[in-house]
Amino acid sequence: MTDPTPTDTAPPPPAGTLGPLAWLRANLFSSWFNGLLTVLILWGLVELIPPLVHWLVIDSVWGPADPQTCRLADGACWAFIHEKYRLILFGTYPYDDQWRPLLAVMIIVALLAASCDPRTWCRLILPMWAIGIALVLVLMFGGVFGLAYVENTRWGGLPVTLLLSVVGLAAAFPVAILLALGRRSDLPVVKALSVVYIEMIRGVPLISLLFMSSVMLPLFLPTGVTIDKLLRAQIAMIMFASAYLAEVIRGGLQGLDNGQYEAADSLGLGYWQKVRLVILPQALAMVIPPIVNTFIAFFKDTSLVLIIGIFDLMTAAKAALTDMYWRGFYKEAYLFVAVFYFCFCFFMSKYSKWLEARTARGVRR
Amino acid sequence: MTDQAGAVATDRGDHDPIIQMIGVSKWFGAFNVLRDIQLTIDRGERIVICGPSGSGKSTLIRCINRLEEFQSGRIIVDGIPLTNNVRDIEAVRREVGMVFQQFNLFPHLTVLENCTLSQVWVRKRSKAEAERVARHYLERVRIPEQADKYPGQLSGGQQQRVAIARSLCMNPKVMLFDEPTSALDPEMVKEVLDVMISLAETGMTMLVVTHEMGFAKSVADRVLFMDRGEIVEQAPPDQFFTNPTSERTKLFLSQILSH
Ligand SMILES: Nc1ncnc2c1ncn2[C@@H]1O[C@H](COP(=O)(O)OP(=O)(O)OP(=O)(O)O)[C@@H](O)[C@H]1O
Ligand SMILES: [Mg+2]
């Protein structure tokens, strides 16, 4: 009892449950194992952070500089990003017209932001997206209003990634709902078709779907008929996402009490009214986290289109690295791209939390 | 159709049947749940159905709004024969309200929205009109002040009264009740029964599956006893309770009235 550190042995005073020391005890040192982990992690941070800060900030080369300066420096070569960011973000889109993809990206982000609040999901949202996406396509393609025509083989970078994922998910979602309903349908043909579709798509990797769409599909098409490569990739991605989302949504449908179906039936609601007004609002709310999880995975999976030569954000970063003059700055390029992926994914994750809390409040309160 | 109905009519004088079940049988797999049910219900009649667990009471009333399909026989509701035709089924469901043991309110909608939903989408009423009707019936079941709450915030008795109001908002011609008080705490049973009694006083045709024999005695025109998929006995309540003819009914009554 003569121990100089009274917090070790003395029973904690009632008032002390609020101080910073108490917080430390409760959160970081609640058991010897937790204490050990805390110490280990602290040690790791001490080892890691200073070199990281040195590499990222202190020793790095900022602003315009030539590769020689970079190679002599110990830190990151942000000059590389400074030199190449337009190529990474917009690919080989004509340099002087790159305000168009920039504007397109801004429109997509604005559309996403405007769709966040479920209160706007009334009749406005469909026309809003239709107009928005049409505007994006006009900007990207051009050929009207005095804008020079730009083939979509020259598109690249962020707008391609965003278009593939946003349009992909927007189109896949309703398909997924139909597939999920179909899989639970009483009609044997509908049910069988849904099951076969879902299992077929889920049974193959996305890469092979993309390959099939880019290499095999043209072989089957009659000569003269061609489908644009980007569109083919988009269709493959929609097929892929819809199968996965369908299974997630089916989980929600199954989680719903049968009494909800019966109550809706007994009130005389037709099948689609029942689905739209009673079943889906509850079933979808139940599966928000796994839906967003699928969204995030899908968003990152769009980077696989690089294997069929579509210029998304990831491909663009790789292309930037092929410059002989600027060879070898992988870390900077991938870090730069990662920041973009992270921002979107982190936003989706936060949004899912918020949406979940919101719907839960509506139901429980 | 009418002469067949006459064959199974009750001994009441004024025949104006709203529900006719003619030789209805149903199987769950190989299990015969309903056996050759003959039942005619007149407009304004109040019927209580009782019987041991598993005797097919729920299945019987769920056939009337086609929540269950049946394999043989015919059911005619308000002149509409129930077939596999979706239009006929929906037409019948519009005229037949149902109250479930587990309430089955829509938890994502407020009480008021629960009551207006089918009015707007099925009866095609304007939102304002639907809300007016909803408030009227919420008043009738004595919870007008809960209109903007969610079902999860209400007690069981209140939820069941909302469920009754939700059905009444469709202005049904028949109301089906499947053990409406069985899931309730004892102190809430009375508030729901009171609402049902006052509904009976308005002349609503009611089919009630219940073990509340007090309700049967005071409200029912006819009490039906079911056992093993058959209607074993049907009689006005005074006769049913004091002078049952079938042994099975006697046994059931002695069990249910002894505690
Ligand atoms: N979906 C089903 N599949 C197979 N059997 C069923 C199904 N629903 C009910 N049954 C069986 O049919 C019989 C009658 O069921 P029903 O629910 O009509 O009885 P009940 O008289 O309402 O009984 P309770 O008083 O317990 O509610 C029971 O034996 C039950 O097990
Ligand atoms: Mg039952």
Side-chain angles (χ1 to χ4, degrees):
Chain A
M1 289 300 133
T2 50
D3 200 311
T5 54
T7 44
D8 279 350
T9 50
T17 48
L18 285 172
L21 267 181
W23 183 89
L24 279 179
R25 270 191 81 109
N27 291 288
L28 301 178
F29 298 98
S30 58
S31 67
W32 68 266
F33 183 67
N34 273 350
L36 187 70
L37 278 183
T38 304
V39 170
L40 272 176
I41 288 169
L42 275 179
W43 175 74
L45 289 177
V46 167
E47 288 289 299
L48 259 176
I49 288 185
L52 204 63
V53 171
H54 269 273
W55 187 79
L56 281 173
V57 187
I58 299 172
D59 299 339
S60 61
V61 180
W62 291 83
D66 57 50
Q68 246 18 67
T69 326
C70 275
R71 294 211 164 87
L72 292 175
D74 291 329
C77 178
W78 300 126
F80 169 74
I81 301 296
H82 186 270
E83 176 77 17
K84 298 286 186 191
Y85 76 95
R86 302 255 310 237
L87 176 64
I88 296 177
L89 288 181
F90 304 122
T92 51
Y93 205 90
Y95 196 84
D96 291 330
D97 277 331
Q98 283 184 359
W99 59 271
R100 283 158 56 182
L102 177 66
L103 201 58
V105 166
M106 279 158 51
I107 290 174
I108 293 176
V109 170
L111 283 172
L112 289 174
S115 319
C116 278
D117 192 338
R119 273 172 300 188
T120 59
W121 297 354
C122 44
R123 293 175 199 291
L124 244 72
I125 195 155
L126 276 181
M128 183 177 89
W129 274 90
I131 294 171
I133 293 295
L135 219 62
V136 166
L137 291 179
V138 165
L139 274 170
M140 295 296 289
F141 272 118
V144 283
F145 309 126
L147 297 172
Y149 176 71
V150 179
E151 259 186 279
N152 69 10
T153 46
R154 298 198 63 186
W155 301 4
L158 193 55
V160 168
T161 292
L162 282 181
L163 265 178
L164 277 177
S165 50
V166 169
V167 173
L169 288 174
F173 202 72
V175 177
I177 288 175
L178 292 180
L179 285 170
L181 291 170
R183 193 160 186 174
R184 288 174 55 84
S185 166
D186 296 331
L187 309 170
V189 177
V190 174
K191 185 175 173 139
L193 283 177
S194 310
V195 172
V196 167
Y197 177 90
I198 292 172
E199 296 306 336
M200 291 251 289
I201 303 283
R202 286 204 311 167
V204 295
L206 176 57
I207 294 197
S208 61
L209 263 185
L210 287 171
F211 261 129
M212 276 194 268
S213 77
S214 84
V215 183
M216 287 174 57
L217 193 65
L219 299 180
F220 296 120
L221 287 176
T223 40
V225 180
T226 53
I227 306 181
D228 178 89
K229 184 158 93 174
L230 191 61
L231 185 62
R232 271 182 279 148
Q234 179 76 82
I235 291 171
M237 309 260 349
I238 291 172
M239 290 170 68
F240 179 76
S242 60
Y244 277 83
L245 280 174
E247 284 300 278
V248 171
I249 294 170
R250 187 166 71 99
L253 293 175
Q254 266 163 350
L256 209 60
D257 182 48
N258 216 20
Q260 293 292 311
Y261 291 85
E262 292 180 350
D265 282 341
S266 75
L267 286 166
L269 292 170
Y271 177 78
W272 292 108
Q273 291 174 336
K274 170 176 74 175
V275 163
R276 190 159 70 86
L277 302 166
V278 176
I279 305 305
L280 282 181
Q282 296 183 66
L284 293 182
M286 263 190 272
V287 290
I288 291 173
I291 284 180
V292 175
N293 192 32
T294 312
F295 273 30
I296 289 176
F298 179 78
F299 180 72
K300 291 180 294 183
D301 281 350
T302 55
S303 56
L304 288 174
V305 296
L306 111 158
I307 61 145
I308 55 168
I310 287 173
F311 234 77
D312 78 319
L313 192 55
M314 202 67 179
T315 322
K318 282 211 141 160
L321 286 166
T322 56
D323 185 339
M324 297 298 279
Y325 190 56
W326 285 97
R327 246 192 356 211
F329 296 106
Y330 298 103
K331 292 185 219 120
E332 292 81 352
Y334 289 130
L335 210 59
F336 181 66
V337 170
V339 166
F340 281 90
Y341 279 104
F342 180 79
C343 284
F344 281 99
C345 293
F346 187 69
F347 161 78
M348 280 193 265
S349 156
K350 280 285 159 213
Y351 176 62
S352 126
K353 269 242 164 73
W354 177 82
L355 196 62
E356 214 185 329
R358 206 194 114 95
T359 45
R361 203 176 55 214
V363 171
R364 263 189 244 117
R365 202 175 32 141
Chain B
M1 181 168 107
T2 36
D3 45 21
Q4 264 175 319
V8 291
T10 63
D11 53 358
R12 290 158 58 101
D14 48 338
H15 292 310
D16 183 12
I18 187 158
I19 298 172
Q20 291 167 274
M21 299 179 85
I22 303 157
V24 174
S25 295
K26 172 172 177 62
W27 287 262
F28 280 121
F31 176 56
N32 196 183
V33 222
L34 296 180
R35 300 162 191 247
D36 192 28
I37 299 286
Q38 310 283 351
L39 180 64
T40 304
I41 296 162
D42 288 344
R43 272 172 221 279
E45 243 194 316
R46 293 168 298 247
I47 308 252
V48 164
I49 304 174
C50 60
S53 180
S55 56
K57 310 179 294 291
S58 300
T59 310
L60 176 87
I61 67 166
R62 286 158 60 87
C63 280
I64 294 172
N65 65 352
R66 198 50 167 61
L67 287 186
E68 302 282 359
E69 41 184 319
F70 47 94
Q71 282 85 16
S72 73
R74 292 198 297 147
I75 300 181
I76 299 152
V77 181
D78 196 26
I80 308 164
L82 267 180
T83 58
N84 285 331
N85 185 326
V86 179
R87 273 170 196 284
D88 287 342
I89 294 173
E90 281 173 10
V92 165
R93 286 175 177 166
R94 278 197 289 275
E95 308 305 332
V96 178
M98 183 155 199
V99 175
F100 301 85
Q101 185 174 352
Q102 300 296 341
F103 329 136
N104 294 347
L105 292 175
F106 304 134
H108 62 300
L109 301 177
T110 64
V111 165
L112 191 67
E113 288 164 345
N114 263 278
C115 293
T116 55
L117 186 78
S118 56
Q119 292 189 65
V120 169
W121 291 96
V122 181
R123 287 273 187 239
K124 312 286 179 208
R125 290 178 187 153
S126 72
K127 193 160 173 267
E129 165 76 356
E131 284 189 4
R132 197 188 57 71
V133 173
R135 289 193 193 278
H136 169 76
Y137 282 107
L138 287 174
E139 192 98 36
R140 281 270 300 277
V141 302
R142 303 182 197 120
I143 35 173
E145 72 284 354
Q146 312 285 7
D148 296 319
K149 290 199 180 160
Y150 285 90
Q153 296 168 279
L154 305 184
S155 74
Q158 291 173 324
Q159 291 193 46
Q160 193 59 300
R161 285 184 283 150
V162 171
I164 295 173
R166 177 176 71 176
S167 283
L168 291 177
C169 283
M170 290 292 286
N171 304 104
K173 294 179 177 151
V174 183
M175 284 287 285
L176 309 174
F177 294 84
D178 191 0
E179 307 206 24
T181 56
S182 298
L184 296 177
D185 292 338
E187 70 271 19
M188 293 170 189
V189 170
K190 185 169 179 300
E191 65 187 53
V192 171
L193 288 181
D194 284 347
V195 164
M196 290 168 62
I197 290 170
S198 71
L199 179 63
E201 283 159 3
T202 65
M204 173 66 75
T205 311
M206 291 165 71
L207 262 88
V208 186
V209 175
T210 184
H211 294 123
E212 297 290 336
M213 291 304 140
F215 176 81
K217 278 176 192 162
S218 62
V219 174
D221 296 312
R222 240 197 301 171
V223 182
L224 263 63
F225 174 69
M226 282 190 77
D227 193 18
R228 288 178 230 151
E230 291 170 325
I231 300 178
V232 175
E233 179 145 1
Q234 46 179 314
D238 43 358
Q239 194 183 325
F240 182 87
F241 289 108
T242 53
N243 197 10
T245 52
S246 141
E247 286 306 315
R248 282 195 262 174
T249 319
K250 283 179 194 161
L251 182 65
F252 175 74
L253 285 176
S254 70
Q255 279 166 351
I256 203 164
L257 297 176
S258 63
H259 49 249

